[in-house]
Structures are given as C-alpha cells and as structure tokens.
Amino acid sequence: MKIAIASDHGGFELKREIIRFLEQKNIPYKDFGTFSTDSVDYPDVAIPCAEAVARGEFTRGIIICGTGIGVCIAANKVKGIRAALCHDTFSARMSRMHNDANVLTMGGRVIGPGLATAIVEEWLKSDFEGGRHKRRIDKISHYENNG
C-alpha cells in the first residue's frame, strides 16, 4: 500500500500527525503539500493528490483541510475518485466496505489527532466488499464516464 497525502493550511497540523502514524506503520507515502500553515487554496493540493491516486500511482489518498468538506468536493471532481469525508471510524470503515472510497478526507479543525489516527487506521485496514455494492459503484462510474 502506498498513500498520497495532502492538506491545506487548515489541515497542516493534523496531516503531520497522520504522517507520523504512517511512518510508525512503515506505510510508504508522498506528501503533496502544503508544507506550512501559510494560507493556500485547497484545490491546489487536493486535485494533484487525487489525480495521482486516479492514475494508479498510489493505492489511496488522504486529504485534510479545516473541515474536510472543500478537499472532498475538489477530490471528487477528479475522474475515478471516490472521496469520503469521515469524522468517525464507522463511516471510515463503511466508506471502504460499501463505497470503495479511494480518498479519505478529514477536517483538521473538527477532530483531534487521536480520533483522526483511529479513522485512518480503520480506513486503511478495511476492504471493499463488492457484491451488490460493486453494482452501485459501477453505476456511478458509468455516469462519470458517459454522463
């Protein structure tokens, strides 16, 4: 597993915590920025991160802003991305099992590092169930590809 990770200024501190977690678990990652708390526009980090996941360069992506909403919207504009905003472990698990989410978004101003780490851990260990859920994902992909 290889993770693409990014944040805007509102998610920078939480991203640092998640990177520490990834390093402790020996999970390879690439940081797509930002690299400080200086203000940046969230699409400028979310879209390149999501594009790298969509191209298959990374297994999954994690993107953090102040609320997680803006980066989720931006990432979901990238063809092939199924980004899920999760602030609890149940939603994180279900986003993988039922929705095959390939990008996790979170809010650095919404949750703390302990919960965020638990969410990431749950999200990374959960697998897509397929079956009836695959049929639903296929419908989304069909619309994405054909309008």
Side-chain angles (χ1 to χ4, degrees):
M1 180 171 302
K2 191 173 173 187
I3 304 298
I5 190 167
S7 74
D8 73 354
H9 55 284
F12 175 73
E13 294 299 332
L14 187 58
K15 181 183 71 173
R16 289 185 0 170
E17 294 293 328
I18 300 305
I19 285 173
R20 278 195 271 282
F21 169 79
L22 295 174
E23 289 173 344
Q24 288 171 354
K25 298 290 185 179
N26 294 313
I27 299 171
Y29 69 90
K30 178 179 177 183
D31 188 348
F32 282 78
T34 193
F35 301 103
S36 75
T37 56
D38 294 341
S39 182
V40 298
D41 295 335
Y42 60 83
D44 294 343
V45 293
I47 291 172
C49 183
E51 287 176 333
V53 174
R55 285 192 302 269
E57 296 170 19
F58 297 87
T59 315
R60 298 186 198 162
I62 300 169
I63 313 175
I64 307 163
C65 68
T67 63
I69 298 167
V71 293
C72 190
I73 293 168
N76 275 315
K77 297 298 181 186
V78 175
K79 186 176 180 179
I81 293 301
R82 291 172 307 282
L85 171 60
C86 299
H87 287 144
D88 61 84
T89 57
F90 179 77
S91 296
R93 183 171 55 255
M94 291 299 105
S95 78
R96 287 289 309 132
M97 293 174 69
H98 291 188
N99 310 115
D100 199 18
N102 52 8
V103 170
L104 169 67
T105 71
M106 296 183 290
R109 296 177 180 150
V110 178
I111 58 173
L115 178 55
T117 300
I119 290 166
V120 169
E121 186 168 33
E122 189 68 27
W123 189 73
L124 291 176
K125 74 179 184 182
S126 298
D127 293 318
F128 182 51
E129 287 183 346
R132 70 183 190 276
H133 306 295
K134 182 174 183 334
R135 182 179 71 244
R136 296 165 184 163
I137 298 305
D138 288 347
K139 287 181 179 186
I140 294 168
S141 296
H142 178 76
Y143 180 80
E144 181 179 53
N145 292 319
N146 302 301

